[in-house]
Amino acid sequence: MISTIGHILILGSLLVAVLGAFLGFVSAKKGSERGAVQTRRMAYLFSSMMIGAMLLMEYALLINDFSVSYVAEVGSLETPRLISFVSLWSSLDGSILFWGAVLGVYTMVFARQSRNKPLDQGTWSLAVLMSIGLFFAFLIASVANPFEASQLPVPTNGPGPNPMLQNHALMIIHPPTLYLGFVGMSVPFAIASGALLSGRLDPAWLRYLRRWSLVVWGFLTLGILLGAWWSYEVLGWGGYWAWDPVENGSFLPWLTLTAFLHSAMVTSKRNAFAGWSLVLVMVSFILTLLGTFLTRSSVLESVHNFTSAGIGPTFFAAIVISLLFTIILLSFRMERLVPDPKPIAMVSRESAFLLNNMLFVAFTFTVLVGTLFPLVVEAVNDERISMGRPFFDSVSVPICVALIFLMGIGPVLPWGRPTAEVMKRRLAMPFAVALSVGLGVFAWGMRSGWGIAAFSLAAMAMSVSLREMVLPGLARRAAGEPMFTALFNGAKSSRRRFAGHVVHIGVALAAVGISASSIYREDVRVLLPIDEPVDVLGYTLEFKELKEVSEPHLTAEVAVVDVSRDGTDLGQLEPRNNQYFMMVNGMAMPRDEMPTPAVRSGLDEDLYLTILSSGPDSEGRDSVTMRVIVEPLMAWLWYGGLLMVLGSFIAAYPSKKKGTA
């Protein structure tokens, strides 16, 4: 019954998407207001069907209806209800259905908002968005259909979801957050397409595009951050980023969308880079399709990949069609949006933004080549390789340092053609801060050139952002307002500017955390006999017991370790290894073993323990072999990332002023 209803909803959404896309393009071409209204109704119906199909699948997962193929693939009577609920995105077909439902939510929101937008731009954009919905409805109805009926006889139990999904709470929120970013890129792409198809990019439409892009960028940043945190908390190697192909797949559109948010400021302020801004938005969407293709086609080796399936060729076709659509649209419509070029001073805010964009594009190209090069090698030599971390680090570190430098001086550079006196006055403070911090960390003992550069330039960027954040408030204070009120009203009056500097401070904090944890990381393996204190990397560790925890779907080996430093008790850490099971013919069969490190996190450093092995030592005593890692300022990365997300949502919050988007 559930399979039948699910099929009807998916096929219905496919039919509605076809009609909605066709009607949208025709209505936009003819300027038909009635047609635009009907297109919006089709969008609402499409969204309702997609969301309804997802909710139906969730119901099937919660009641363990093994007559549905997807439930038989990932469900289990032993799996906790919460894990059953989130197993929707634990495998290929369910994740695509979830993608379609998220697209439905975005489509519904955009359709409602487009009522108040110019008829041509809004209808063109909605038609493009419905075309994207058509593709995903086709995908779900064909090669990624989770509503297929199970083979007879209907199973009485299933294997349960991927152990990685069950092993940490971050996997409950990381994938949907990342999907909100990936799927959300459809809306800026549609808005940019609407501008090109209508031949207009007026200030209100640009603000609308930028606001949607900020929302998407915030979710994408949060998804990447949570993914890095999951890697750090679960995989046991003490790292958070390995330049994995799927990690790169999410990073690529983040880079180009970040470049767009900077480029759009120049477009808004100086009426420049308009065409380039649209190129960046549309490329960002194509890169999200590429990232999804890499994740779900298994063309590259990755710990994140889903099982290989027929979805690969279909997704590749979507990438080609989107790329051709973008190229044709830009080729025939770009000249309508590009104003006469104006000369840019060598040293100005415009030139800083231009260099910023060039660096982001270079960064994107480098990561893209490093990610796809193994595919080329395999196609030519039939040999699978992967690009290592040294390649990516050697390129990314200098680019990131240069970007932080621009983040420090860009906000103080004036628009237009500044005089030498103005430049000297505005740059004196940032360079003084950078020099002071650089000399300070050198005296402290840092000898890494890149590390000194990262610390000093991050301090420069933070000092500039803090100053720029309080300047409007200080002006109000000089006019007689009380200090606190003046600062609050100053921030409120320039909210987007304030939010941008919140993001910049977050980037600077993250840069410091990445630099310190990379340069001063200490990593040792140590044997801990029971009840015998051992001094390791400035801590005293005492192994107290090895206990076993049993749950219906797993057993866990948990090591209890007392931790102290300089005679101060810091409590206990309990790293564990989880052994998951699946039921086969009524018998529990072992699945993957997943480590769960224990982390004591502080503002100064993290202590990170992972169980490597357990058993008697040479003297017959119970013992565990631990991997012990100490990483300074690791928490600064997480706090900095959260500030970036917070700043993006503050900037995206709609203004109440009339005429703003």
Side-chain angles (χ1 to χ4, degrees), residues 107-437:
T107 302
M108 185 177 291
V109 173
F110 182 82
R112 181 171 178 79
Q113 289 183 346
S114 66
R115 297 176 307 166
N116 304 318
K117 303 302 176 186
L119 178 64
D120 55 346
Q121 292 173 323
T123 310
W124 281 121
S125 299
L126 189 57
V128 171
L129 198 54
M130 289 295 286
S131 300
I132 297 170
L134 188 162
F135 165 71
F136 281 99
F138 170 77
L139 202 63
I140 299 169
S142 55
V143 295
N145 189 349
F147 287 105
E148 293 288 347
S150 299
Q151 293 183 350
L152 298 176
V154 174
T156 58
N157 204 347
N162 190 326
M164 284 189 177
L165 181 72
Q166 307 178 57
N167 202 50
H168 200 284
L170 284 171
M171 278 305 286
I172 297 174
I173 56 176
H174 159 55
T177 306
L178 196 58
Y179 283 18
L180 286 169
F182 264 49
V183 183
M185 265 310 305
S186 303
V187 181
F189 176 80
I191 295 172
S193 299
L196 287 164
L197 288 166
S198 66
R200 298 196 334 274
L201 183 62
D202 49 72
W205 197 247
L206 176 63
R207 286 195 296 270
Y208 189 53
L209 171 59
R210 186 167 180 265
R211 180 154 63 87
W212 265 104
S213 299
L214 281 165
V215 172
V216 173
W217 187 89
F219 281 125
L220 192 56
T221 302
L222 183 58
I224 292 172
L225 181 70
L226 292 175
W229 195 10
W230 171 82
S231 179
Y232 181 69
E233 291 277 349
V234 169
L235 297 183
W237 61 295
Y240 45 85
W241 193 264
W243 296 107
D244 178 277
V246 177
E247 292 173 341
N248 295 348
S250 63
F251 190 48
L252 287 167
W254 185 90
L255 289 171
T256 51
L257 194 57
T258 306
F260 161 74
L261 292 173
H262 289 85
S263 175
M265 292 179 64
V266 184
T267 305
S268 176
K269 294 285 187 180
R270 309 294 288 180
N271 197 28
F273 302 172
W276 174 241
S277 294
L278 294 180
V279 168
L280 289 171
V281 170
M282 303 185 83
V283 167
S284 297
F285 172 74
I286 295 171
L287 288 175
T288 62
L289 293 180
L290 177 63
T292 309
F293 170 74
L294 295 177
T295 308
R296 285 156 178 79
S297 65
S298 294
V299 296
L300 291 171
E301 296 291 340
S302 168
V303 69
H304 303 81
N305 267 347
F306 290 105
T307 304
S308 179
I311 197 172
T314 310
F315 238 105
F316 183 74
I319 295 173
V320 172
I321 292 171
S322 300
L323 186 60
L324 290 174
F325 173 79
T326 298
I327 293 173
I328 293 171
L329 196 56
L330 290 170
S331 299
F332 285 93
R333 295 286 185 164
M334 177 78 84
E335 73 278 358
R336 297 193 182 188
L337 304 176
V338 180
D340 294 333
K342 298 178 181 179
I344 296 176
M346 184 66 69
V347 181
S348 65
R349 191 171 298 192
E350 295 95 322
S351 63
F353 277 115
L354 178 61
L355 183 55
N356 165 285
N357 267 224
M358 292 172 62
L359 288 171
F360 273 117
V361 170
F363 203 171
T364 303
F365 180 76
T366 301
V367 176
L368 184 63
V369 169
T371 304
L372 298 184
F373 181 71
L375 284 178
V376 178
V377 172
E378 183 178 3
V380 174
N381 297 332
D382 196 25
E383 177 184 354
R384 282 211 165 192
I385 67 168
S386 61
M387 300 296 289
R389 182 167 185 165
F391 165 76
F392 290 104
D393 284 352
S394 64
V395 179
S396 64
V397 171
I399 292 178
C400 288
V401 169
L403 286 169
I404 297 171
F405 170 74
L406 290 175
M407 193 172 70
I409 67 167
V412 301
L413 292 174
W415 300 102
R417 293 182 174 274
T419 63
E421 185 61 32
V422 169
M423 292 298 303
K424 188 184 300 183
R425 185 175 67 252
R426 293 198 174 195
L427 293 176
M429 186 277 285
F431 282 121
V433 170
L435 181 61
S436 300
V437 172

Side-chain angles (χ1 to χ4, degrees), residues 310-607:
I311 197 172
T314 310
F315 238 105
F316 183 74
I319 295 173
V320 172
I321 292 171
S322 300
L323 186 60
L324 290 174
F325 173 79
T326 298
I327 293 173
I328 293 171
L329 196 56
L330 290 170
S331 299
F332 285 93
R333 295 286 185 164
M334 177 78 84
E335 73 278 358
R336 297 193 182 188
L337 304 176
V338 180
D340 294 333
K342 298 178 181 179
I344 296 176
M346 184 66 69
V347 181
S348 65
R349 191 171 298 192
E350 295 95 322
S351 63
F353 277 115
L354 178 61
L355 183 55
N356 165 285
N357 267 224
M358 292 172 62
L359 288 171
F360 273 117
V361 170
F363 203 171
T364 303
F365 180 76
T366 301
V367 176
L368 184 63
V369 169
T371 304
L372 298 184
F373 181 71
L375 284 178
V376 178
V377 172
E378 183 178 3
V380 174
N381 297 332
D382 196 25
E383 177 184 354
R384 282 211 165 192
I385 67 168
S386 61
M387 300 296 289
R389 182 167 185 165
F391 165 76
F392 290 104
D393 284 352
S394 64
V395 179
S396 64
V397 171
I399 292 178
C400 288
V401 169
L403 286 169
I404 297 171
F405 170 74
L406 290 175
M407 193 172 70
I409 67 167
V412 301
L413 292 174
W415 300 102
R417 293 182 174 274
T419 63
E421 185 61 32
V422 169
M423 292 298 303
K424 188 184 300 183
R425 185 175 67 252
R426 293 198 174 195
L427 293 176
M429 186 277 285
F431 282 121
V433 170
L435 181 61
S436 300
V437 172
L439 292 174
V441 295
F442 182 82
W444 179 50
M446 182 178 286
R447 293 296 181 267
S448 166
W450 289 121
I452 293 172
F455 269 70
S456 58
L457 294 178
M460 178 178 74
M462 278 192 281
S463 67
V464 167
S465 289
L466 288 170
R467 187 181 71 172
E468 294 294 312
M469 289 166 70
V470 302
L471 278 178
L474 294 178
R476 287 174 173 268
R477 177 73 182 95
E481 288 189 21
M483 177 60 76
F484 179 79
T485 305
L487 292 175
F488 177 79
N489 289 334
K492 187 177 178 180
S493 66
S494 55
R495 176 172 51 82
R496 290 180 181 173
R497 181 168 170 265
F498 179 89
H501 289 297
V502 171
V503 174
H504 281 188
I505 291 174
V507 173
L509 288 176
V512 170
I514 292 170
S515 300
S517 61
S518 301
I519 295 170
Y520 292 106
R521 168 186 165 122
E522 297 180 282
D523 186 344
V524 299
R525 302 185 179 202
V526 61
L527 177 69
L528 300 179
I530 194 165
D531 295 328
E532 182 177 314
V534 177
D535 292 331
V536 186
L537 302 179
Y539 292 87
T540 300
L541 307 180
E542 185 174 353
F543 170 49
K544 302 303 294 183
E545 65 171 317
L546 190 66
K547 59 185 181 181
E548 189 170 294
V549 177
S550 295
E551 298 178 25
H553 62 306
L554 65 85
T555 61
E557 180 184 64
V558 183
V560 180
V561 182
D562 286 344
V563 181
S564 61
R565 181 167 58 179
D566 300 328
T568 302
D569 181 18
L570 301 178
Q572 291 184 331
L573 290 178
E574 297 187 355
R576 56 192 285 165
N577 285 329
N578 294 331
Q579 176 68 66
Y580 291 88
F581 294 93
M582 62 180 176
M583 301 302 294
V584 178
N585 297 325
M587 298 182 61
M589 304 296 292
R591 298 183 74 181
D592 299 336
E593 183 177 88
M594 295 291 297
T596 302
V599 184
R600 183 188 179 275
S601 185
L603 286 176
D604 57 341
E605 65 184 22
D606 281 10
L607 173 65

